[in-house]
Amino acid sequence: MRQSSLVVVAMRLPIDDSVAPDGACEWRRSPGGLVSALHPLLRQTPATWVGWAGGSGPAPSLPDVDGVRMHTVPLTLDDLRDHYEGFANATLWPLYHDAVEQPEHHRRWWEAYQRVNQRYAEATAAVAEPGAIVWVQDYHLQLVPGLLRALRPDLRIGFFLHVPFPPPELFMQLPRRAELLRGMLGADLVGFQRAQAAHNFAQLTTKVLGVSATDRRIAVDDRVVRIGAFPVSIDTAEMSALAGSPEVAERAQRFRRDLGDPAHVILSVDRMDYTKGIEQRLTAYSELLASGHVKVRDTVLVQVAVPSRERVGQYQVLRDRVEREVGRINGEFGRVGEPAIHYLTQPFDRAELAALYRVADVMAVTPLRDGMNLVAKEYVAARVDDSGALLLSEFAGSATELSQAYLVNPHDLEGLKQGLLSALEADPADVTTRMRAMRAHLHRYDIRAWARSYLSALDESGSLLHRLGGPA
Ligand code: ADP
Ligand code: G6P
């Protein structure tokens, strides 16, 4: 088995299969943020990414992708049902997002969660060279740091949670709360999106495990686990360059024409998820249409909502409700050839997405709760002419950094309507001032800065990063 000095562990491998021109199946790097963030670093060392390649049954053996080794973890249909759809996405996901949907608890799901985490830990132990740095990602794999430390105490282990970490009152509902906390404490550094999450975690470890904790350090056995906030970012330069290209500018113009050249385009881009506040936004929009504050010929809403986790009941129910409401609004307020809402469930390639961002005078990002929300950051990066109003929920992690956005509480229907109107009617000079400030922040604090700050905190001695010449 080839071993690496740097190992990233995530539920999914950072690749998609596609069909090559000769018809063969080809694996390509997927365009996700984490992959772009780590790619420059991963290429400089024989790095390995441990994850699931999609599908069920035996793990395919994959070639290196862009110089990064792919180590696949097999998952069966039962694993997917009970670990991914069950414990990860019907217990932890709703609980960590303020329980906006009811979390479900089943013993069989917990058994699968343990089993799958054990499999990831063993796969990682097999590919990490002595003293390697291992970086475990997200809520699907919270037990991996502890399990891995038991197998390989020589490793330097980091854990990063991309989603919110809830306040103690909510986390305490989990029947296996102690095991989950102990799993995370197997890491040397536990990273969160926001300082509040690190604070919640520190409080919980004291309350549940009785350990001594501050918002920066937790004493466990004979070790110190460091904790902190490392807000994830995007490849700002890449999105800006793409959005600024003549092809994307031209595509944006065509989009605008196809939309009927309205005075105002409002855009929302979400995974179809109940955390994203899609229904609340549709209600606000519908009431603005009904009261005549917004008129169909003048303003259009483009709602992109890619179906997600489609075998989980709560997601099926949400999709049905959203589609019924979009149909109702279009039926009531649309005209022939002029729908009130352009509703799209397709995945878009990066250039098309950049063109949509460029065409949007107002970007409405109004989740009920979100770890970060990268769409908000991508929109800002794409506004190369410093125009565009970002309407942003206070409950998105990105609101901490993008404080110049038009901030709203999506639970407050009147506030949401008012926020939308303010963004639509904002003075262009004010819009530009706000956008400039947000763009300057994202140019400084991009995905590479994020990876650098996390990994240098994890690699305290600096030995790995020194050997690699830095992560960026
Ligand atoms: P989440 O991680 O909860 O889905 P984020 O906003 O943080 O939410 O990230 C979503 C990512 O998915 C962004 O990078 C966005 O560009 C991408 N994305 C969302 N919708 C689409 C779509 N229809 N086609 C392609 N990419 C999409
Ligand atoms: C969030 C999670 C990621 C997850 C993504 C898409 O961003 O933090 O870990 O990959 O949603 O969800 P999916 O279930 O399709 O992987």
Side-chain angles (χ1 to χ4, degrees):
M1 180 76 69
R2 295 185 302 175
Q3 293 196 319
S4 299
S5 54
L6 178 62
V7 182
V8 173
V9 193
M11 166 91 200
R12 293 174 185 278
L13 287 173
I15 50 173
D16 297 319
D17 52 344
S18 56
V19 179
D22 63 1
C25 170
E26 204 179 48
W27 292 91
R28 291 235 187 96
R29 179 150 73 97
S30 56
L34 186 59
V35 204
S36 334
L38 298 177
H39 201 246
L41 175 68
L42 298 182
R43 291 189 67 139
Q44 290 172 52
T45 173
T48 298
W49 192 300
V50 175
W52 171 57
S56 55
S61 167
L62 299 179
D64 296 358
V65 176
D66 284 356
V68 180
R69 297 170 183 168
M70 296 292 136
H71 189 76
T72 47
V73 178
L75 293 177
T76 64
L77 286 174
D78 283 356
D79 295 333
L80 288 170
R81 186 192 60 210
D82 295 339
H83 167 275
Y84 171 73
E85 286 151 14
F87 198 80
N89 285 314
T91 306
L92 293 180
W93 179 271
L95 189 79
Y96 285 10
H97 290 85
D98 290 352
V100 293
E101 286 286 345
Q102 185 65 37
E104 283 182 47
H105 303 285
H106 297 291
R107 281 165 289 186
R108 200 183 63 229
W109 290 0
W110 170 249
E111 281 155 23
Y113 191 75
Q114 288 176 290
R115 174 174 82 230
V116 168
N117 273 252
Q118 181 70 35
R119 204 174 305 147
Y120 274 80
E122 284 169 12
T124 308
V127 297
E129 72 175 38
I133 286 202
V134 175
W135 193 3
V136 183
Q137 313 287 328
D138 231 355
Y139 62 102
H140 315 88
L141 301 177
Q142 267 172 241
L143 302 179
V144 168
L147 295 168
L148 187 57
R149 181 167 295 280
L151 293 168
R152 291 287 306 272
D154 59 298
L155 300 175
R156 188 108 193 121
I157 304 171
F159 178 79
F160 185 79
L161 188 71
H162 291 257
V163 299
F165 192 76
E169 308 83 87
L170 280 175
F171 191 85
M172 291 303 281
Q173 288 180 14
L174 280 168
R176 311 312 287 260
R177 58 205 184 192
E179 285 95 326
L180 283 163
L181 294 173
R182 257 188 241 114
M184 292 165 81
L185 287 174
D188 295 292
L189 175 65
V190 180
F192 299 94
Q193 302 277 27
R194 299 175 66 224
Q196 181 63 46
H199 176 70
N200 293 345
F201 182 69
Q203 278 197 313
L204 273 161
T205 54
T206 303
K207 194 174 163 87
V208 176
L209 304 177
V211 297
S212 148
T214 69
D215 290 2
R216 304 176 78 90
R217 306 167 89 79
I218 303 179
V220 189
D221 308 327
D222 52 351
R223 300 184 298 123
V224 170
V225 177
R226 281 170 316 130
I227 65 176
F230 301 86
V232 74
S233 195
I234 58 161
D235 192 335
T236 314
E238 186 184 67
M239 178 50 87
S240 286
L242 183 62
S245 69
E247 298 75 29
V248 167
E250 200 264 327
R251 184 75 190 96
Q253 276 177 2
R254 262 193 295 139
F255 270 139
R256 196 158 202 115
R257 270 202 310 276
D258 293 345
L259 290 168
D261 252 326
H264 305 284
V265 176
I266 307 172
L267 173 69
S268 287
V269 176
D270 308 282
R271 245 179 340 94
M272 178 72 80
D273 195 298
Y274 49 79
T275 59
K276 302 290 182 184
I278 302 173
E279 291 184 280
Q280 287 76 0
R281 202 184 303 136
L282 291 177
T283 306
Y285 196 62
S286 162
E287 291 197 5
L288 288 173
L289 286 165
S291 63
H293 284 92
V294 165
K295 296 197 173 54
V296 164
R297 201 183 288 277
D298 186 59
T299 303
V300 300
L301 170 62
V302 179
Q303 171 68 65
V304 178
V306 213
S308 169
R309 307 175 189 165
E310 290 175 87
R311 289 156 55 96
V312 179
Q314 289 160 332
Y315 288 76
Q316 295 166 352
V317 171
L318 173 76
R319 183 172 182 179
D320 285 350
R321 284 204 307 247
V322 165
E323 299 197 338
R324 203 174 318 126
E325 186 61 1
V326 169
R328 183 193 69 77
I329 295 172
N330 277 337
E332 206 164 312
F333 301 104
R335 300 164 193 213
V336 174
E338 287 176 345
I341 302 173
H342 291 256
Y343 173 70
L344 302 155
T345 55
Q346 309 134 39
F348 285 89
D349 69 29
R350 301 301 287 169
E352 291 250 299
L353 209 52
L356 279 176
Y357 291 144
R358 281 209 63 172
V359 94
D361 307 298
V362 173
M363 181 83 206
V365 181
T366 57
L368 304 176
R369 177 61 73 191
D370 212 327
M372 174 54 59
N373 198 291
L374 297 179
V375 164
K377 291 189 169 181
E378 290 169 359
Y379 175 69
V380 170
R383 301 304 299 189
V384 286
D385 62 359
D386 294 334
S387 68
L390 175 63
L391 181 74
L392 182 60
S393 162
E394 293 168 17
F395 303 110
S398 44
T400 309
E401 294 165 87
L402 304 180
S403 54
Q404 296 85 1
Y406 295 85
L407 293 175
V408 285
N409 170 3
H411 299 277
D412 169 11
L413 184 55
E414 286 307 320
L416 189 51
K417 286 161 67 181
Q418 199 45 57
L420 252 176
L421 285 180
S422 308
L424 282 168
E425 291 161 5
D427 168 20
D430 180 45
V431 166
T432 297
T433 310
R434 290 167 181 249
M435 186 51 80
R436 274 207 188 117
M438 294 191 286
R439 288 178 60 75
H441 171 78
L442 287 187
H443 275 291
R444 269 194 318 274
Y445 198 77
D446 68 356
I447 189 85
R448 272 171 276 276
W450 171 73
R452 197 184 307 123
S453 74
Y454 184 89
L455 286 172
S456 43
L458 175 60
D459 181 32
E460 259 178 324
S461 69
S463 57
L464 177 87
L465 297 180
H466 178 72
R467 197 152 23 106
L468 297 174

